[in-house]
Amino acid sequence: MAKGPDGKNTSGRGQRDLTVKVKTARGRRASSTRWLQRQLNDPYVKRAQVEGYRGRAAFKIMELDDKFRFLVPGARVVDLGCAPGGWCQVAVPRVNALGQKAGKAQGRILGVDLQEVEPIAGVEFHQLDFMEDGADDKVKDWLGGKADVVMSDMAASSSGHKQTDHLRIIALCEAAAYLAFDVLEEGGTFVSKVLAGGAEGELQKLLKQRFTKVANVKPPASRSDSSEKFVVATGFRG
Ligand SMILES: C[S@@+](CC[C@H](N)C(=O)[O-])C[C@H]1O[C@@H](n2cnc3c(N)ncnc32)[C@H](O)[C@@H]1O
């Protein structure tokens, strides 16, 4: 039976699918109306509400982990760009961050974001711009050792210019990858959001040198009309 992050059964809750139509309103732009309409009718948005996740992004990491199995009990995880905390919510039970799974190793989750994050039991949050000078040293200090997973969903707010957004996200992804190279345990996993758009070739080359397998995945929860995809690099060579 499906369970939310609060441990309650969620099957059977909120199953009705009523399409919500949003009327245009004075002062609201057509693009905002379209966004609102899509948001109100998005099954993942509804599922996140029903299952108690802070956002639909939770289902992306869930689907990636169901396929690649990196969030295992005992894993030490760094979550970059973690606000509002959906990925962390998924990671807590999977890595046994609260030590509730008897006989299984207890994991650890370190979340970092520009924005403040409401606390989640089992997660240590730090507010930080990961692109500022010395940010990776701060994360290494907080971590105080190795990590098994470095995952990044960092995304700068859209500039409206596709190529600029693409370059920005690649820069965020590269910064996350360099942290991963420094802190990952041999065999560790790196997961990062990227945008399909051409400039990611260098990054892929770099990852292929440092990991045994590099996969590019578009999980079902990632909107089909977005150029977002995820790179999952497993088997860090150390
Ligand atoms: C798509 S959201 C992440 C959603 C998150 N994975 C979840 O499940 O709730 C992207 C996040 O990246 C963060 N971000 C963007 N640039 C950043 C930076 N330079 N340093 C830290 N966080 C950053 C944003 O503040 C935003 O919260």
Side-chain angles (χ1 to χ4, degrees):
M1 200 172 282
K3 283 195 164 77
D6 57 0
K8 291 177 189 156
N9 293 332
T10 57
S11 304
R13 285 202 245 153
Q15 294 298 308
R16 283 186 310 149
D17 185 22
L18 301 176
T19 302
V20 180
K21 288 238 162 54
V22 178
K23 289 186 185 151
T24 46
R26 198 196 300 230
R28 189 166 58 218
R29 282 180 299 160
S31 60
S32 307
T33 302
R34 274 198 306 276
W35 180 87
L36 194 57
Q37 168 112 15
R38 187 177 67 174
Q39 196 72 0
L40 290 171
N41 293 298
D42 182 329
Y44 283 104
V45 172
K46 287 184 186 162
R47 219 181 123 192
Q49 286 163 354
V50 170
E51 297 184 20
Y53 290 106
R54 293 186 180 180
R56 67 188 303 294
F59 299 105
K60 300 177 193 172
I61 200 69
M62 210 183 277
E63 289 166 355
L64 291 173
D65 185 50
D66 287 347
K67 192 170 161 108
F68 295 93
R69 304 263 171 217
F70 45 88
L71 296 175
V72 294
R76 296 154 293 176
V77 178
V78 179
D79 183 0
L80 299 170
C82 66
W87 284 25
C88 290
Q89 286 179 294
V90 172
V92 167
R94 292 185 180 214
V95 305
N96 193 27
L98 294 171
Q100 288 170 334
K101 287 181 183 160
K104 303 257 185 196
Q106 184 167 0
R108 180 176 173 209
I109 304 165
L110 188 78
V112 171
D113 202 285
L114 282 173
Q115 300 174 45
E116 227 178 293
V117 186
E118 284 286 310
I120 293 174
V123 183
E124 181 186 329
F125 288 115
H126 293 274
Q127 194 171 3
L128 173 76
D129 179 351
F130 190 64
M131 297 307 273
E132 76 183 25
D133 280 350
D136 52 347
D137 288 332
K138 285 186 184 159
V139 176
K140 281 185 234 168
D141 277 354
W142 294 325
L143 192 61
K146 293 278 183 192
D148 303 290
V149 179
V150 172
M151 52 192 200
S152 168
D153 196 17
M154 283 190 289
S157 36
S158 171
S159 68
H161 184 257
K162 222 173 162 183
Q163 194 57 16
T164 304
D165 289 345
H166 176 73
L167 292 172
R168 280 186 185 162
I169 209 161
I170 289 295
L172 289 166
C173 182
E174 267 176 14
Y178 279 105
L179 175 76
F181 298 159
D182 278 352
V183 302
L184 275 184
E185 195 76 79
E186 212 174 312
T189 300
F190 173 66
V191 180
S192 180
K193 170 151 70 189
V194 288
L195 296 183
E200 74 272 31
E202 278 304 306
L203 179 69
Q204 298 274 335
K205 216 159 79 190
L206 200 61
L207 292 175
K208 281 179 184 156
Q209 287 164 3
R210 310 298 300 267
F211 292 86
T212 53
K213 246 186 173 169
V214 178
N216 289 281
V217 191
K218 178 128 180 118
S222 177
R223 288 184 166 122
S224 54
D225 60 355
S226 117
S227 54
E228 165 192 273
K229 60 180 182 170
F230 290 85
V231 61
V232 182
T234 50
F236 183 57
R237 295 183 204 271

